[in-house]
Amino acid sequence: MEKLNNKLLSYYGLILVGYNGILDMPSRLGDTFYDWGDWQQPLVDDEDIFWKSKEFSLNVVFDERRTNKTLKSIVNEISNLPECLLESKYGNFQVKVKAIQKVNSYENITKLSILFNERIPQLNATLLGPVGGNGLLIDGYDFKKDFGIVIRKVKPLDYVPITKQLSTTVFNTSQILSDHRNFKVFELDCAMAYSSASELKETTDKFKKLLSLGGYRVITFENESYNCFLTEGFKVVFVGENVIKFKLLLNITANFVDSGFVASGFVN
């Protein structure tokens, strides 16, 4: 049963409709690489990794017939809560209410969206050893066999993002930095079916824990291995019945010298 500040939602006269963003992976906070001029060094040691706060919303319906409180008093009470515990079927979260928005209303019913901020996202699941397999692997874990994640599409690796020409020179020489200075990226369109909320929580928690570890993530794809690291989080979207989808972006370690691409992320 969903609780906010140790009180059931029914105490506030609220009925749960759903969540948006509660299972999202946060993005890295602060510097994620150091630019040496002719190459970029990823910062992946434990002491270099910090995570941004996470925002997600709770969608509810207020039915004034279920409580002797008014909508205004409920909104004021929830808005003035200190940082508190939100208990849900997807886990417990230490949150602060950021905003409450009225979506629409009809007679005695008002639909609300309560926006929360989780200041310190929890990435503390316990990982067991990988089952592995012959599919797409991450640190030896098979996306399908270990996490039930189906890769619907992988963006071709020959895609190289382009940035504008930089005027900075390399090591105080006349050599101009390359205009190809973004990391190559694995872009994976992922989907996952689940049978229960507890299964979904357990699996996504373990996958996010793996992504949050220090060091590189080794992706094995088409018989080649690549050192990768995560900087951008991802949004988990509920689609259909008992299915989620998300897009995972993993930077591939590389050196950029002149306008050429020198791969340095291959693992023998």
Side-chain angles (χ1 to χ4, degrees):
M1 298 291 287
E2 267 68 12
K3 290 184 178 181
L4 179 61
N5 198 32
N6 297 317
K7 294 181 174 65
L8 292 171
L9 290 186
S10 57
Y11 163 83
Y12 303 101
L14 302 177
I15 303 170
L16 176 66
V17 176
Y19 291 95
N20 286 324
I22 194 168
L23 295 176
D24 291 355
M25 176 73 187
S27 296
R28 285 271 302 271
L29 175 66
D31 293 333
T32 59
F33 65 90
Y34 185 81
D35 195 335
W36 289 98
D38 58 347
W39 72 291
Q40 295 170 329
Q41 176 186 354
L43 300 176
V44 295
D45 292 339
D46 287 329
E47 60 267 25
D48 295 321
I49 298 177
F50 303 94
W51 301 99
K52 292 182 179 179
S53 62
K54 186 176 77 174
E55 293 186 354
F56 61 91
S57 60
L58 172 67
N59 301 319
V60 295
V61 166
F62 174 77
D63 187 345
E64 64 183 34
R65 296 167 298 183
R66 291 174 172 263
T67 178
N68 57 5
K69 299 182 180 183
T70 65
L71 175 60
K72 182 178 180 180
S73 67
I74 287 297
V75 169
N76 287 338
E77 181 175 353
I78 295 176
S79 298
N80 291 321
L81 287 174
E83 189 173 69
C84 61
L85 186 67
L86 172 67
E87 301 173 60
S88 81
K89 59 184 177 181
Y90 300 115
N92 298 335
F93 304 87
Q94 198 69 26
V95 297
K96 183 75 173 69
V97 176
K98 186 173 181 179
I100 301 178
Q101 298 177 334
K102 180 179 177 180
V103 179
N104 53 46
S105 61
Y106 178 75
E107 294 184 350
N108 300 314
I109 304 295
T110 302
K111 187 175 182 180
L112 302 171
S113 178
I114 306 174
L115 181 63
F116 295 103
N117 178 270
E118 184 186 19
R119 184 169 52 88
I120 304 176
Q122 298 300 305
L123 300 166
N124 51 12
T126 300
L127 272 174
L128 301 177
V131 173
N134 298 320
L136 184 63
L137 304 179
I138 177 169
D139 286 2
Y141 292 87
D142 188 290
F143 275 79
K144 175 63 176 176
K145 292 182 178 179
D146 284 286
F147 300 108
I149 296 173
V150 176
I151 306 300
R152 303 188 302 171
K153 182 180 178 182
V154 180
K155 178 162 284 190
L157 286 176
D158 57 5
Y159 168 74
V160 181
I162 303 298
T163 60
K164 65 181 180 180
Q165 180 76 31
L166 300 178
S167 59
T168 308
T169 57
V170 178
F171 300 138
N172 296 319
T173 70
S174 59
Q175 182 181 5
I176 302 297
L177 290 180
S178 167
D179 59 352
H180 300 269
R181 290 187 50 76
N182 285 346
F183 290 102
K184 273 194 171 184
V185 175
F186 268 116
E187 185 173 308
L188 309 175
D189 284 339
C190 305
M192 174 187 162
Y194 60 94
S195 58
S196 66
S198 59
E199 178 197 1
L200 177 60
K201 174 191 179 305
E202 180 181 2
T203 304
T204 54
D205 281 356
K206 289 180 179 179
F207 187 63
K208 288 185 288 187
K209 175 63 177 180
L210 176 63
L211 293 173
S212 72
L213 295 175
Y216 294 110
R217 306 280 69 77
V218 179
I219 292 288
T220 304
F221 175 66
E222 295 183 346
N223 298 318
E224 295 284 358
S225 294
Y226 307 84
N227 282 351
C228 301
F229 66 106
L230 178 84
T231 56
E232 298 299 319
F234 54 78
K235 293 186 177 297
V236 174
V237 179
F238 290 85
V239 291
E241 185 175 354
N242 293 343
V243 177
I244 62 168
K245 67 176 182 179
F246 59 92
K247 182 174 291 186
L248 175 63
L249 303 178
L250 290 170
N251 302 295
I252 305 171
T253 59
N255 291 340
F256 292 85
V257 180
D258 296 330
S259 60
F261 175 82
V262 181
S264 64
F266 295 93
V267 179
N268 294 324

